[in-house]
Each structure stands twice: as structure tokens, then as C-alpha cells.
């Protein structure tokens, strides 16, 4: 159960396959960003002890995914390069409330929604790809991202009442669906 308020148009996978190298570079950046976000949370909330080990494990796993993405690029003869991200994450982060502890709640739930959308997109890619290393890799990854989605929600439920988490997740999932605009550039979250 991914708690997403909208479904990606299945046509996105065809578009992504037609721009696969660019999608893979963006994907590698997303994995790096996911690791960085988890680390940042560890620095921002050192006194929230329940967060530390799960976030540390998550950061390591995302860095492994980053390394795997670089390997997939190498196999295709593509060099990793700097890329302008889509507006998606920035637009979504703007919905995070400034005051604590609501900032913590919102940040964990925004992270959970980004993981959910990644999982949904990876599933579409895995279904569209021909048999091979890349398809197998995406099948493996989407299970991890589904687990990360649930993991962030579980962390939120540790510090906030379940009903509050549920209600805010619904609100933020609407925001997430609204910022997922179809940009011109092929991206994991565009
Ligand atoms: Fe990942
Ligand atoms: Fe993830």
C-alpha cells in the first residue's frame, strides 16, 4: 500500500524507455539524494534516538543503490553528469511546516511519499523493460523502495499519534500528486 493520491500515466514508461540514459542518470542522482536526506535527518534530530539506526541503515542502502546505478550507467557506456533536478522535490518540501515537531512529522511523510512514487515508477519501468540486467535490477529495487516508504511512515508513528499521521499523509499525498507535473525533461519524478 503506497498511499499515493494519483497513478502515473502508463505512457510515462514508454517516454522513460525512449530516454533511458537520461532517466538512469536522474535515478542515480535520486539515490544519492535519498542517502543525503537520511543523513541530514540524523544530524537534525540527534536526540530522536529511534530515528538514528533506521536512518543510518537507509542511508547505506541508498548509497548501495547509487553505486549500482553507476554500474548500470557504466555498462551502457554512459558517464555520470551533473543534472538539473525536476521541481518535484523542491515543490513538495515547501509543504513542510516550519515549526517543530510538525516539521519532523511532515519531513518523514514527504520522504515516505517520494519513496512511494519512486517505487511506483520503478515498477512501471521494470514492466516495460525487456528481459535483462536492467529489468532484474528494477524488480529488486522497487521492493526496497516500498519498504522505505513503509519505514518512514513507521518512524512517524513512533513519535506522533497514528490518526494524526494518517490524516497528514492523506493531505501530503494530495500535494505530492499536484506537484507531479509532466515536465519536458525525462525524470524519475516528472
Ligand atoms: Fe533507493
Ligand atoms: Fe529508497
Amino acid at each position: 500500500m503506497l498511499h499515493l493520491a494519483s497513478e502515473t500515466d502508463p505512457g510515462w514508461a514508454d517516454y522513460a524507455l525512449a530516454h533511458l540514459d537520461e532517466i538512469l542518470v536522474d535515478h542515480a542522482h535520486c539515490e544519492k539524494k535519498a542517502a543525503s536526506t537520511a543523513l541530514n535527518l540524523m544530524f537534525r534530530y540527534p536526540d530522536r534516538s529511534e530515528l538514528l539506526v533506521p536512518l543510518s541503515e537507509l542511508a547505506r542502502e541508498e548509497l548501495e543503490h547509487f553505486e549500482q546505478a553507476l554500474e548500470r550507467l557504466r555498462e551502457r557506456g554512459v558517464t555520470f553528469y551533473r543534472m538539473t533536478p525536476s521541481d518535484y522535490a523542491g515543490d513538495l518540501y515547501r509543504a513542510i511546516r516550519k515549526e517543530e515537531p510538525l516539521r519532523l512529522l511532515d519531513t518523514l511523510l514527504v520522504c515516505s511519499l517520494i519513496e512511494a512514487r519512486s517505487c511506483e515508477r520503478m515498477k512501471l519501468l521494470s514492466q516495460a523493460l525487456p528481459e535483462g540486467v536492467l529489468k532484474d535490477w528494477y524488480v529488486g529495487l522497487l521492493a526496497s523502495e516500498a519498504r522505505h516508504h513503509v519505514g518512514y511512515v513507521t518512524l512517524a508513528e513512533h513519535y506522533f499519534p497514528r490518526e494524526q499521521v494518517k490524516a497528514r499523509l492523506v493531505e501530503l499525498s494530495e500535494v505530492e500528486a499536484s506537484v507531479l507535473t509532466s515536465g519536458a525533461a525525462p525524470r524519475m519524478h516528472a
Side-chain angles (χ1 to χ4, degrees), residues 144-160:
S144 298
E145 306 310 347
R147 184 160 42 73
H148 298 166
H149 164 63
V150 174
Y152 270 119
V153 176
T154 304
L155 288 178
E157 285 175 346
H158 185 82
Y159 288 108
F160 301 89

Side-chain angles (χ1 to χ4, degrees), residues 86-101:
S86 65
D87 296 333
Y88 170 79
D91 287 349
L92 194 45
Y93 284 142
R94 266 192 285 283
I96 295 172
R97 291 168 290 186
K98 302 278 183 289
E99 68 280 15
E100 295 291 0

Side-chain angles (χ1 to χ4, degrees), residues 3-185:
H3 302 104
L4 291 170
S6 71
E7 264 183 37
T8 292
D9 183 327
W12 176 83
D14 294 332
Y15 184 61
L17 282 196
H19 302 85
L20 194 51
D21 289 342
E22 200 172 338
I23 285 286
L24 271 171
V25 170
D26 180 54
H27 179 177
H29 280 287
C30 289
E31 298 290 358
K32 180 162 57 73
K33 186 71 176 62
S36 159
T37 301
L39 274 174
N40 281 337
L41 286 172
M42 291 166 64
F43 279 95
R44 196 194 294 165
Y45 300 105
D47 48 340
R48 299 280 193 173
S49 58
E50 295 295 323
L51 297 179
L52 300 179
V53 171
L55 288 174
S56 174
E57 288 173 351
L58 180 64
R60 272 189 287 143
E61 197 177 351
E62 302 293 23
L63 282 178
E64 278 174 21
H65 293 170
F66 172 64
E67 291 166 33
Q68 291 164 7
L70 290 183
E71 182 62 17
R72 298 289 90 80
L73 285 169
R74 195 191 59 76
E75 289 160 359
R76 298 173 65 81
V78 178
T79 309
F80 188 58
Y81 56 88
R82 185 185 295 272
M83 181 180 256
T84 313
S86 65
D87 296 333
Y88 170 79
D91 287 349
L92 194 45
Y93 284 142
R94 266 192 285 283
I96 295 172
R97 291 168 290 186
K98 302 278 183 289
E99 68 280 15
E100 295 291 0
L102 298 177
R103 183 185 184 204
L104 171 60
L105 172 64
D106 287 1
T107 305
L108 292 173
L109 296 183
V110 159
C111 288
S112 87
L113 288 166
I114 295 174
E115 295 286 350
R117 186 62 70 184
S118 302
C119 175
E120 189 221 23
R121 293 285 167 100
M122 288 178 193
K123 186 172 183 184
L124 290 175
L125 267 180
S126 75
Q127 289 167 343
L129 280 163
E131 298 298 324
V133 173
L134 204 52
K135 185 190 189 80
D136 293 345
W137 182 58
Y138 272 112
V139 169
L141 274 189
L142 69 93
S144 298
E145 306 310 347
R147 184 160 42 73
H148 298 166
H149 164 63
V150 174
Y152 270 119
V153 176
T154 304
L155 288 178
E157 285 175 346
H158 185 82
Y159 288 108
F160 301 89
R162 187 169 283 230
E163 283 311 307
Q164 185 183 6
V165 171
K166 209 170 144 186
R168 188 59 180 155
L169 190 53
V170 170
E171 288 173 2
L172 287 172
S173 71
E174 298 289 344
V175 177
E176 194 273 344
S178 74
V179 300
L180 196 70
T181 50
S182 46

